[in-house]
């Protein structure tokens, strides 16, 4: 049995934040869950996917976040408790249904989870999605710890049903990827079959209906505001004239700092856990007893600006500060030491930081960024494209996935990335705006997510570029989730359809379509040259399963390679493809780590001396 | 109990998270509270990975620079990178050669902060015993030999036994014992 399905209330177990959230959803009786995977949310859906295989919980990996939210919206309007989760930028993709679903509402509990990523551990931006709650008029909850995240999701479902409104649960990476002990609660039985009751005056958003719905949305928000005033998630800790307002993980940083600075008798903290709508009266009362107030929140001054506005309304003129040059930044994530230092400065408390770690006598350690894996087929494809296009002035728009790492030297292939699917559409723009050759890259999962519409645009508007679809049969970067082109039998599941990318591309009317097997180096280069010479839209599909996934399924037996005595030590292999299995031995000569080499043989094909050979068993 | 802070570092794919789990589960078995923070996502593709684990009652999971009691690193370069997280008087355990670690360029820093370092070629040992992927628990075993912190060797070994799948249980315990004994020699 899946560890999160155990019906053992009171049991204490160590869980990752995302596991705790998945468990919370199960305890809340969630019956229907949809997602598109994205860090830092991925383990929530992974656990729900696993649990759905053992229970009648419905779970699906949807094609993208917009689709996931629309699928979920229907379930939540058919009377099922529904959970839709995604990373913060996923909400941008889902923003269109989100804004209007806020008008329509739901008939059963619906929670939409936004996993924000301050400091961008694994994201292209660090947008603060609390504004989506304000923007759309959705109630929002924000946990401060792993254990609270589990309990909060249950409360979020109840809140959603009280208001008949989807609730936004906003986490940050430090919650999603922290470990802590969590106590299991009761599991609410799931209701897995619903019934849709027609209600066109609520569900068909033509202008005449929507005008009425906006009025209702504001009424719901007002009711939500009253609930926020009395919510246990908005709490005040301590007392005294020094005020602190904090949310999320910053709350514990602030609480630790109060203790460390000896301010327990002089400071009180208002922790905002139900943060849209904010508890206006509670905040005004809190401010009335303060000499000065510090707002501690990662990201944008979301609470700070609201608190200042509340203060203005009641004529309170005390210093209220958060983001400023000498206090908190809008950049990146916070840490306990930084919060303590800023708090000491703002409250004018004598504070001697522990002996600062002076690292000036330690040599700087070079950055070690992530890299394409040993035997990654993307490396071969990038090398082959570079060879085929070596005399051309090429722009390489790329996309979101492992292959974004191709921009790193020595492959250095990747010139423009803004969001999922942008490789294809931006190629349209580059090919019209310049005379440069455009070769763009997109993974199979990303192509399904949002690359198809760009390709339709390219064919319709007769653009001129080559799109390389990297078909590795899995959503690799986020931890090997399926996508519509995957053989679900490999997951032991039957009854799924499977979309063939080549047929799809041909059906869209692309005139020049070719398929390469990237581990056949010369043949691939020859095929790529033909595609590059075509005027119009050409698509190259590079087919090779993800090496890491293949390894985990033990689908192939690795046959490692070795460097023979024919090596003349020019190190071309390292300087052109830089597979992480290469290392320099004690004599400073290239060697191959037999434990990590998967035997793709790409290096053997590019070595001019034929010095790289399979290891004899 | 004063919080005991572990900083665990290495490269994506080396099992830093499993190492964290062994320490955290052992703490739970002994009735301690824990809080941990990890890096995921892109970092799994061979990049630098760090995990913070606090044993004891703490509010926030992040360990600040200069506050780590122990740094256990799967890789020498990743040990150097996280040295600033070790508190004065703290200890460093690294998967590497005693002849080469620590590099002379950091010895003044270590001496000034009274930080002691112990290296063992845990990866090599795990490989020789047939399970190179168990280098992470080899490092836990090496650490356990020094009797430092609230988690005893026997308790850690019990967790390793419980957490290992049957197919590698015996080999993991063998690796644990060999690496523990290697550590004892340095005590």
């Amino acid at each position: 049995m899946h560890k999160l399905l155990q019906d053992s209330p009171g049991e204490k177990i160590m869980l990752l934040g995302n596991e705790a959230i998945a468990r919370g959803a199960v305890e809340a009786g969630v019956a229907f869950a949809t997602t598109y995977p994205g860090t830092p949310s991925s383990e929530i859906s992974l656990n729900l996917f696993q649990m759905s295989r053992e229970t009648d919980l419905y779970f699906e990996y949807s094609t993208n976040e917009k689709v996931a939210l629309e699928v979920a919206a229907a379930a939540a309007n058919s009377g099922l408790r529904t959970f839709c989760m995604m990373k913060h930028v996923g909400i941008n993709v889902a923003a269109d249904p989100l804004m209007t679903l806020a008008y329509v509402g739901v008939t059963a509990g619906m929670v939409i989870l936004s996993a924000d990523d301050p400091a961008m551990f694994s994201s292209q931006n660090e947008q603060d999605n609390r504004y989506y709650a304000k923007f759309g008029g959705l109630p929002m909850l924000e946990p401060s710890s792993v254990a609270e995240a589990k309990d909060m999701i249950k409360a979020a479902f109840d809140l959603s049903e009280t208001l008949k409104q989807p609730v936004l649960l906003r986490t940050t990476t430090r919650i999603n990827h922290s470990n802590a002990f969590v106590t299991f609660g009761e599991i609410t039985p799931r209701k897995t079959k619903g019934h849709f009751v027609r209600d066109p005056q609520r569900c068909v958003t033509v202008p005449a209906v929507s005008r009425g719905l906006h009025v209702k949305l504001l009424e719901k928000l007002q009711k939500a505001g009253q609930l926020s005033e009395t919510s246990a998630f908005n709490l005040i800790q301590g007392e005294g004239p020094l005020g602190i307002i904090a949310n999320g993980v910053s709350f514990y940083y602030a609480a630790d700092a109060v203790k460390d600075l000896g301010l327990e008798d002089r400071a009180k903290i208002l922790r905002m856990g139900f943060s849209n709508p904010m508890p206006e009266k509670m905040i005004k009362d809190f401010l009335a007893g303060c000499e000065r107030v510090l707002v501690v929140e990662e990201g944008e001054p979301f609470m700070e600006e609201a608190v200042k506005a509340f203060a203005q309304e009641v004529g309170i003129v005390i210093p209220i500060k958060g983001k400023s040059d000498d206090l908190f930044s809008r950049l990146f994530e916070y840490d306990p030491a930084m919060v303590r230092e800023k708090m000491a400065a703002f409250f004018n408390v004598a504070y001697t930081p522990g002996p600062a770690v002076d690292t000036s006598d330690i040599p700087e350690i070079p950055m070690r960024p992530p890299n394409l894996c040993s035997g990654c087929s993307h490396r071969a494809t990038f090398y082959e494209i570079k060879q085929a296009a070596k005399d051309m002035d090429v722009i390489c728009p790329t996309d979101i996935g492992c292959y974004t790492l191709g921009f790193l030297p020595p492959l250095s292939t990747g010139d423009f990335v803004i969001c999922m699917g942008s490789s294809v559409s931006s190629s349209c723009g580059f090919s019209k705006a310049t005379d440069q050759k455009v070769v763009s890259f997109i993974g199979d999962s990303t192509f399904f997510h949002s690359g198809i519409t760009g390709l339709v645009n390219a064919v319709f508007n007769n653009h001129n570029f080559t799109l390389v679809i990297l078909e590795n049969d899995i959503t690799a970067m986020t931890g090997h989730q399926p996508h519509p082109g995957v053989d679900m039998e490999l997951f032991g599941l039957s009854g799924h359809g499977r979309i063939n990318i080549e047929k799809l591309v041909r059906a869209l009317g692309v005139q020049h379509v070719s398929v390469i097997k990237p581990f056949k180096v010369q043949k691939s280069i020859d095929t790529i040259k033909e595609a590059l010479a075509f005027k119009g839209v050409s698509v190259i599909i590079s087919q090779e399963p993800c090496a890491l996934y293949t390894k985990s399924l033990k689908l192939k037996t690795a046959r490692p390679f070795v460097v023979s005595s024919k090596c003349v030590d020019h190190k071309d292999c390292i300087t052109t493809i830089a597979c992480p299995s290469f290392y320099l031995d004690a004599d400073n000569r290239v060697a191959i780590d037999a434990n990590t080499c998967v035997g793709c043989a790409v290096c053997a094909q590019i070595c001019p001396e034929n010095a790289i050979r399979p290891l004899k068993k | 109990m004063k919080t005991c802070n572990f900083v665990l570092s290495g490269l994506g794919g080396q099992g830093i998270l499993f190492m964290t789990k062994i320490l955290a589960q052992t703490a739970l078995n002994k009735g301690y509270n824990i809080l941990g923070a990890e890096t995921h996502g892109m970092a799994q593709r061979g990049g630098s990975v760090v995990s913070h684990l606090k044993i004891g009652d703490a509010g926030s999971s992040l360990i600040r620079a200069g506050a780590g009691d122990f740094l256990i690193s799967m890789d020498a370069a990743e040990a150097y990178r996280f040295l600033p997280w070790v508190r004065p008087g703290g200890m460093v355990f690294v998967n590497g050669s005693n002849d080469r670690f620590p590099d002379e360029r950091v010895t003044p820093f270590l001496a000034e902060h009274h930080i002691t370092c112990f290296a063992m070629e845990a990866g090599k040992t795990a490989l020789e015993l047939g399970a190179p992927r168990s280098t992470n628990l080899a490092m836990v075993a090496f650490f356990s030999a020094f009797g430092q912190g609230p988690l005893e060797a026997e308790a850690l070994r019990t967790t390793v036994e419980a957490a290992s799948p049957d197919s590698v249980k015996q080999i993991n315990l063998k690796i644990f014992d060999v690496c523990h004994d290697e550590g004892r020699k340095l005590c």
Side-chain angles (χ1 to χ4, degrees), chain A residues 5-82:
Chain A
L5 284 172
Q6 291 176 60
D7 191 12
S8 49
E11 187 187 338
K12 223 176 152 193
I13 177 170
M14 185 180 90
L15 295 180
L16 187 67
N18 280 343
E19 294 173 324
I21 291 166
R23 169 71 187 190
V26 169
E27 289 182 9
V30 76
F32 201 100
T34 65
T35 193
Y36 182 83
T39 311
S41 79
S42 306
E43 299 84 5
I44 309 173
S45 49
L46 180 66
N47 280 284
L48 291 170
F49 175 48
Q50 290 163 349
M51 287 189 274
S52 73
R53 301 176 61 170
E54 296 180 31
T55 63
D56 58 357
L57 163 70
Y58 180 76
F59 172 84
E60 72 168 45
Y61 282 112
S62 307
T63 321
N64 66 31
E65 294 86 351
K66 175 182 189 295
V67 174
L69 186 58
E70 290 158 351
V71 171
N77 272 291
S78 301
L80 301 186
R81 280 204 161 184
T82 303

Side-chain angles (χ1 to χ4, degrees), chain A residues 519-539:
Chain A
F519 291 164
K520 294 186 173 164
V521 174
Q522 192 53 49
K523 200 169 169 209
S524 297
I525 293 173
D526 294 343
T527 309
I528 293 165
K529 279 183 179 164
E530 280 174 35
L532 296 185
F534 181 79
K535 194 149 174 35
V537 181
S538 59
V539 169

Side-chain angles (χ1 to χ4, degrees), chain A residues 285-304:
Chain A
D285 291 348
F286 181 85
L287 295 177
C290 292
E291 286 169 7
R292 54 200 295 140
V293 171
L294 182 67
V295 184
V296 192
E297 57 186 325
E298 289 173 336
E300 302 297 319
F302 180 80
M303 297 190 300
E304 180 187 343

Side-chain angles (χ1 to χ4, degrees), chain A residues 561-613:
Chain A
F561 279 62
V562 285
V563 182
S564 76
S565 57
K566 281 160 79 179
C567 172
V568 297
D569 203 28
H570 48 53
K571 299 188 174 68
D572 275 7
C573 48
I574 288 188
T575 51
T576 53
I577 59 170
C579 175
S581 284
F582 293 129
Y583 67 96
L584 296 179
D585 66 14
D587 301 326
N588 215 29
R589 293 179 69 89
V590 179
I592 294 172
D593 178 0
N595 284 309
T596 58
C597 174
V598 303
C600 71
V602 169
C603 58
Q605 294 170 70
I606 67 168
C607 173
E609 279 73 37
N610 286 319
I612 302 177
R613 291 278 167 210

